[in-house]
Amino acid sequence: MAAGVFASFTPFLGFHFFIAWTIAFLIGGNLLAAAVGTAIGNPLSFPFIWMATYTTGCLILGEPMVHQSAHALKHTLMSHSLSSIFPVIKIMAVGGIPIGLAFALFFYYLTRQAARTYQHRRKTMLAEKAFEAGRWRKEIAERKEIAEHKDIVSETAHG
């Protein structure tokens, strides 16, 4: 999950699944969870992600902020040639690393806690079922033993 979240903070649209899968593979993570994690980057969140990564990248690299709004940044990214937007992509890639790591760590711990809670509840439920099954089997064995004892007593009485 965390690998997908991190990948969503890169400016490389169309490659988020590949980036997430590569990271998950390298760290021994779950490839499906990594793919699901890329859903954090979607048409509703991209303007915020892009502005955050652009602003952070400008601060890290000491570059002036040419694009002051998400709309201006989106327009630049979608309407210019690759060679003219490369400097903006570079700034966003640099800015995406710390923000992507922060969000990835947050989602890692959130997902980890959710998985632990689920596993604990499942283990408790299975233990309760096993206990009930054991008690049920014990009752059947006791009834069978009583019935066998009655059969033996009746056989000796009739015999």
Side-chain angles (χ1 to χ4, degrees), residues 119-138:
Q119 289 172 347
H120 176 72
R121 287 182 183 168
R122 180 167 165 75
K123 187 184 278 187
T124 302
M125 180 194 64
L126 290 174
E128 289 171 358
K129 283 184 176 183
F131 177 76
E132 289 297 322
R135 190 165 59 183
W136 177 72
R137 286 188 186 115
K138 185 177 177 184

Side-chain angles (χ1 to χ4, degrees), residues 39-102:
I40 203 78
N42 59 65
L44 296 175
S45 65
F46 276 139
F48 301 106
I49 290 172
W50 291 346
M51 271 314 290
T53 59
Y54 178 73
T55 303
T56 304
C58 285
L59 292 172
I60 291 172
L61 296 174
E63 297 282 338
M65 282 189 54
V66 176
H67 306 286
Q68 298 296 326
S69 71
H71 179 69
L73 182 60
K74 178 184 152 210
H75 178 70
T76 299
L77 291 173
M78 298 300 180
S79 64
H80 290 86
S81 68
L82 184 60
S83 61
S84 65
I85 63 168
F86 181 72
V88 176
I89 297 287
K90 176 184 160 192
I91 291 170
M92 291 174 69
V94 169
I97 293 171
I99 295 175
L101 282 174

Side-chain angles (χ1 to χ4, degrees), residues 6 15 17 59 89 100 129 140 145:
F6 176 79
F15 296 100
F17 279 118
L59 292 172
I89 297 287
K129 283 184 176 183
I140 289 175
E145 190 176 295

Side-chain angles (χ1 to χ4, degrees), residues 2-23:
V5 171
F6 176 79
S8 292
F9 283 85
T10 66
F12 309 114
L13 291 177
F15 296 100
H16 288 168
F17 279 118
F18 178 73
I19 294 168
W21 286 344
T22 302
I23 293 169

